[in-house]
Amino acid sequence: MATLDERRIEEIVSRVLERLGAGPSAAPGRPAVQAPAARKGPDIPRGTNGVYADADAAVKAARRAFETVLATPVETRRKMIEGMRACARSNNELLARYAVEETGLGRYEDKLNKLLLVANKTPGTEILRPQAYTGDDGLMLTEHAPYGVILAITPTTNPTETILCNAIGMIAAGNAVVFNVHPSAGRTCNWFVHLLNEAIQAAGGPRDLIVSIEKPTIESAQALMTHPGIRVVVVTGGPAVVKQAMASGKRCIGAGPGNPPAVVDETANLGKAADAIVRGASLDNNIVCIAEKEVVAVDAIASDLIRELKRQPVLWLDAKQTKALESVVLEGDHVNKAWIGKDAGLIAAQIGLGGHGHDLRLIMCEADEQHPFVQHELLMPVIPLVRVRDTADAIAAAVRIEHGFHHTATMHSLNIDHMAAMARVCNASIFVKNDASYAGLGMGGEGYTSFTIASPTGEGLTTALHFTRERRCTLKEAFRFV
Ligand code: NAD
């Protein structure tokens, strides 16, 4: 591996910036075709513990719980969080099945791994460390204090994972939380809220520390955003909900969309890169916001990379098949939502390439930068590869394709200058080098996890720390020991 060379990095960065001068043009429209067959409704138990029909009653209940928890020992809070982790682990199989059946998105076996990751690696109370200064004037202490009642609006793509992640972080920080979940995951989420409340109460915690709305809607989400009992609004979803939350007049933590590129340069280990890209891009049928959504490969290795990708559980399309796929997964210039999160085998069957089972992880093809497969966050296992001249072109294309979300990017390279240059220019909340994107969530990568990655408001991978306000405690003279 080459050593860091500041001059070389600067050179690549300035070439990238130069090439970023030209933006992408609008993508052409495509006709629509049939949607997948309607699903049979799942048999999900009705959540009642902490689940409220009325939004105002939910906020008031959460407020009462917050006031109770203020007087509860931190040790009890720690036990509540342990109980919530254990609850998720012991109900994982059922929750994964309910989530797949109710939302119609993703892969059961991947959902098991996602929720387990959240249960095991979401930081709890241990991340909240007070800071102390001492001197001739005495002691100054900065403590992390709760806000009160937080509103959490959650997506359909990681329904149970976001609930567990937000609940652990918000409760570790001493808050209560009101969930307005995605309507199409309502029953699974309300059942999970019910189970988590049982776990909290069994650990000695109060009722209603987590509450949810029985029939959540966009209207109930918007009403809650401006409810006087809500102190902070935390949203995880697409651009519309982030925009709405930012206009709420409340403190807002906004975790918005991404369109993560995977750049592959001429120094990459192509076998490893292909394996990592397919693992990352196919996670839960690509509905995860951090999952690779397109590959940008330099011309010198693009054909070799394609050869490696074909060794993976990937169906590679030729130009004619790609055209046929456009008419299935696009509606005009937009994504046909009916195919979001569906299995690659099911999508392939729509263009006459049947016979692929659940083991097929991805459909891939070559496309130019302006193609809608590249420009849009498709949220399905359809991944285009864009061929470019050199590394500077690859980084510039990746930055354009990411649309300034600053969410997630990955790179496969053994050249440290290339990696440093891309890190500087893409300025993403998560930048993974030489592994699948999900390593950046701590799945096979170092560090803690979070399923609320706040790029628009800048918190990155949110934890309990972001759900606290700082309070200073000053004590004159007495506490200087040394
Ligand atoms: P979505 O935006 O359709 O819905 C998210 C939540 O916001 C839902 O609860 C929905 O009811 C609510 N909502 C939507 N529009 C609203 C509005 N105008 N006012 C009030 N509430 C509104 O997103 P989704 O389909 O559930 O999830 C996929 C999207 O979320 C993708 O864009 C993905 O990248 C993004 N996402 C981001 C993160 C992250 O951490 N940054 C995590 C998961 C998903």
Side-chain angles (χ1 to χ4, degrees), residues 153-156 158 182-183 222 236-238 241 255-257 289 377 407 451 453:
I153 297 179
T154 58
T156 187
N158 308 316
H182 195 289
Q222 293 177 352
T236 309
V241 69
C289 57
E377 184 194 30
H407 191 301
F451 272 62
I453 301 143

Side-chain angles (χ1 to χ4, degrees), residues 88-136:
R89 287 183 202 115
S90 58
N91 289 283
N92 198 3
E93 286 83 4
L94 268 183
L95 290 166
R97 183 163 73 75
Y98 293 158
V100 172
E101 287 180 5
E102 187 180 12
T103 65
L105 313 179
R107 301 170 77 94
Y108 169 81
E109 66 280 14
D110 290 357
K111 290 204 183 287
L112 292 179
N113 290 330
K114 282 166 61 184
L115 192 65
L116 206 55
L117 172 72
V118 178
N120 294 341
K121 292 188 89 173
T122 303
T125 50
E126 72 284 354
I127 203 165
L128 303 170
R129 299 235 169 91
Q131 232 193 356
Y133 291 70
T134 60
D136 293 337

Side-chain angles (χ1 to χ4, degrees), residues 128-193:
L128 303 170
R129 299 235 169 91
Q131 232 193 356
Y133 291 70
T134 60
D136 293 337
D137 284 326
L139 166 79
M140 188 281 270
L141 185 66
T142 302
E143 278 277 29
H144 300 285
Y147 280 102
V149 181
I150 298 181
L151 168 64
I153 297 179
T154 58
T156 187
T157 48
N158 308 316
T160 56
E161 298 85 351
T162 314
I163 289 202
L164 185 63
C165 169
N166 284 178
I168 289 177
M170 290 168 189
I171 289 174
N175 304 285
V177 48
V178 178
F179 281 107
N180 197 97
V181 303
H182 195 289
S184 66
R187 284 186 294 153
T188 305
C189 291
N190 285 335
W191 177 238
F192 194 25
V193 164

